[in-house]
Amino acid sequence: MKKKIILLGIALLGFLTTYAQLNVSTNSREVYSWDKDANEWKFESEDTESVTLFEFNKEITLVKHTSETMTSDYIIESQEFDESDESNHYIFEVLNEEGNKSLMIFDIKNQNIRFVNQDGPQMVKYLISNTWEVEGNIQVLNATFVR
């Protein structure tokens, strides 16, 4: 498992330096709300039938999120890589087409993408099933999270 995480990190780092388009598919969606009293995220619901696709452009300035019912485009306003405590995740500040800001966390170690709404105490977590790069018209399977 640790080897897969390391390989994914290397693959993602390669993506960031070669500017290939990154695609991420997910196979489950979980919703959480912030419990102020307990100071933690409280599980609300899960949809194990939820299949979505995230498409990052080659410059990592835009990401398109497509599900069965909607498509949303996000501008990536800022990004940072956090490897403290071996957490290995990218934190993106994103703005959607309606002007709503969120934090998007691409969590390599825990194999998920999380959206935290900055206007309200809600988090949506997507469990990653696969990732791949597209260079020109050639698809390159970079790394899989779940096998």
Side-chain angles (χ1 to χ4, degrees), residues 131-135 138-143:
T131 65
W132 66 98
E133 291 182 22
V134 176
E135 296 183 40
I138 301 171
Q139 290 189 3
V140 180
L141 186 60
N142 228 5

Side-chain angles (χ1 to χ4, degrees), residues 42-108:
K42 177 184 169 192
F43 177 79
E44 296 289 336
S45 65
E46 179 178 25
D47 181 358
T48 58
E49 304 289 319
S50 179
V51 176
T52 66
L53 175 66
F54 292 90
E55 300 172 85
F56 293 82
N57 72 336
K58 66 182 181 176
E59 294 85 12
I60 315 168
T61 56
L62 300 170
V63 62
K64 182 177 192 175
H65 178 212
T66 305
S67 73
E68 293 177 354
T69 59
M70 62 89 185
T71 298
S72 294
D73 295 315
Y74 296 91
I75 296 170
I76 298 173
E77 295 185 320
S78 70
Q79 59 181 281
E80 69 178 76
F81 181 68
D82 182 3
E83 56 186 338
S84 62
D85 300 325
E86 297 184 14
S87 58
N88 294 331
H89 58 259
Y90 287 87
I91 301 170
F92 300 103
E93 288 186 13
V94 296
L95 178 69
N96 72 6
E97 63 267 12
E98 297 169 356
N100 299 318
K101 290 189 174 197
S102 299
L103 287 180
M104 181 178 136
I105 302 162
F106 190 142
D107 191 330
I108 297 168

Side-chain angles (χ1 to χ4, degrees), residues 19-53:
Y19 300 105
Q21 179 180 344
L22 176 67
N23 297 286
V24 179
S25 62
T26 67
N27 58 7
S28 183
R29 178 181 185 268
E30 300 173 356
V31 177
Y32 296 81
S33 62
W34 183 250
D35 184 335
K36 289 182 184 179
D37 296 329
N39 201 33
E40 65 184 14
W41 291 107
K42 177 184 169 192
F43 177 79
E44 296 289 336
S45 65
E46 179 178 25
D47 181 358
T48 58
E49 304 289 319
S50 179
V51 176
T52 66
L53 175 66

